[in-house]
Amino acid sequence: MSEKRRGIHVLVVDDSAVVRVTMQAALSRDSGISVAVASDPIIALGVIQVSRPDVIVLDLEMPRMDGLTFLARLMAEDPIPVVVCSNLVGARSDVAVRALALGAVDVLRKPQAGSREQLEQSALQIIDTVRGAALARLAKRSARAATAAAQVSPQPRARPGALPPAQRTTDRVVAIGASTGGPQAITQVLTALPDDAPALAIALHMPAGFTATFARRLDELCAFEVKEAEEGDPLLRGRALVAPGNRHMLVVRSGPQLVVRLTDSEPVSRHRPSVDVLFHSVATSVGPNATGVLLTGMGADGADGLAAMHAAGAFTIAQDEASCVVFGMPKEAIARGAADRVVSLGQIPGVILRGA
């Protein structure tokens, strides 16, 4: 089952004429999408007054008004789903992660020159992301709340002295998957968990270059360690591992330990990392000692995997419609009978802990 297709009006805001043309060409491959462009946020504000778009694709570094300032104003005055389109990587990718905290629903890497096949794949990803964003349900956020959420250096929680890995090893694994609206949802869940939370494995539809920054931000906010997963990392109590962008992450057994394996195999449901890939591996390697959590997102990625976890005896949770930014992935899982519990986002941390 897929979300109903409808006409979508998109506004691309970018100071690069090349990027505006490229994005317009990519989005125009879908006959249900119309595109307008603006070279900076000041012009964009005028365009919005004349014809309010369904989705804004936003660059972050622009003249006259930067993308973060524009985004904060938009979320406070007239929330419109925003997809950040950025080439900021490494330390600079923190700006894109701050945009997600401000209320952007997704992030894309700017299209790069490449083969025809690569450009085709890029266009499909852009279209899918925009269609997912168009379904997002947003609420106004005060300027103060938005600024607090996106502060550059969050105050870390006090943490107890870390136990040696041998004392933290656990067979219990909580696997979490999300897409559109996922960064905010995952942040809300993880920051509500205690320092001795069960081992967490997270697959999020986020491009390469951004997941490491997202994990570092979570590490600053959470009571336990959060890091972008590396090959062979053990799953430990009091640690969360985030799948790297553009790599699948699996949980496998290595002797007595559970560790992660990273692969570059083909995308699943157009995604790498795929939630299905993570969930299927947890069903096989962890079985009834696992908890699966499927959060907000467009499409069906994760529904089959959650069903496999359910069949293996794991405890499974789906986010409810009212608290989802996009009720696509959880809806598919619920329809397949894969969820033991369907609860609001705010209830999920408690349900994870009680499900132990």
Side-chain angles (χ1 to χ4, degrees), residues 227-291:
K227 70 185 293 284
E228 184 183 57
E230 298 176 82
E231 178 68 20
D233 272 344
L235 284 103
L236 305 171
R237 182 160 48 91
R239 168 187 273 185
L241 298 175
V242 178
N246 203 33
R247 303 202 76 187
H248 290 307
M249 183 171 75
L250 299 87
V251 173
V252 301
R253 289 204 172 271
S254 177
Q257 273 195 324
L258 291 167
V259 301
V260 297
R261 291 281 179 261
L262 303 177
T263 79
D264 299 317
S265 56
E266 289 299 309
V268 174
S269 302
R270 296 184 185 170
H271 297 292
R272 188 172 62 201
S274 162
V275 181
D276 271 331
V277 169
L278 172 62
F279 282 5
H280 276 289
S281 73
V282 172
T284 300
S285 299
V286 190
N289 291 327
T291 298

Side-chain angles (χ1 to χ4, degrees), residues 11 13 15 36 49 57 66 69 78 85 90 96 162 193 208 213 236-237 247 253 267 284-285 293 302 328 331:
L11 174 61
V13 187
D15 62 326
Q49 289 179 352
V57 178
D66 66 86
T69 301
D78 182 20
C85 190
L193 294 174
T213 303
L236 305 171
R237 182 160 48 91
R247 303 202 76 187
R253 289 204 172 271
T284 300
S285 299
V293 183
K331 180 180 179 181

Side-chain angles (χ1 to χ4, degrees), residues 146-163:
T147 301
Q151 60 184 303
V152 179
S153 300
Q155 292 298 314
R157 296 183 179 186
R159 293 181 183 171
L163 293 172

Side-chain angles (χ1 to χ4, degrees), residues 108-125:
L108 280 170
R109 290 287 298 274
K110 287 189 179 182
Q112 304 294 308
S115 67
R116 182 173 180 176
E117 181 180 355
Q118 289 172 323
L119 292 173
E120 289 278 356
Q121 288 299 318
S122 178
L124 289 172
Q125 182 184 27

Side-chain angles (χ1 to χ4, degrees), residues 131-194:
R131 282 203 163 272
L135 297 169
R137 293 175 295 186
L138 305 176
K140 285 185 180 181
R141 308 178 72 186
S142 70
R144 176 179 292 183
T147 301
Q151 60 184 303
V152 179
S153 300
Q155 292 298 314
R157 296 183 179 186
R159 293 181 183 171
L163 293 172
Q167 296 183 37
R168 292 194 285 148
T169 301
T170 177
D171 278 343
R172 183 163 185 247
V173 172
V174 177
I176 300 176
S179 184
T180 312
Q184 300 96 318
I186 289 169
T187 300
Q188 184 171 334
V189 170
L190 266 60
T191 54
L193 294 174

Side-chain angles (χ1 to χ4, degrees), residues 23-35:
M23 293 296 296
Q24 191 165 23
L27 290 166
S28 296
R29 294 178 182 224
D30 187 320
S31 61
I33 295 177
S34 60
V35 185

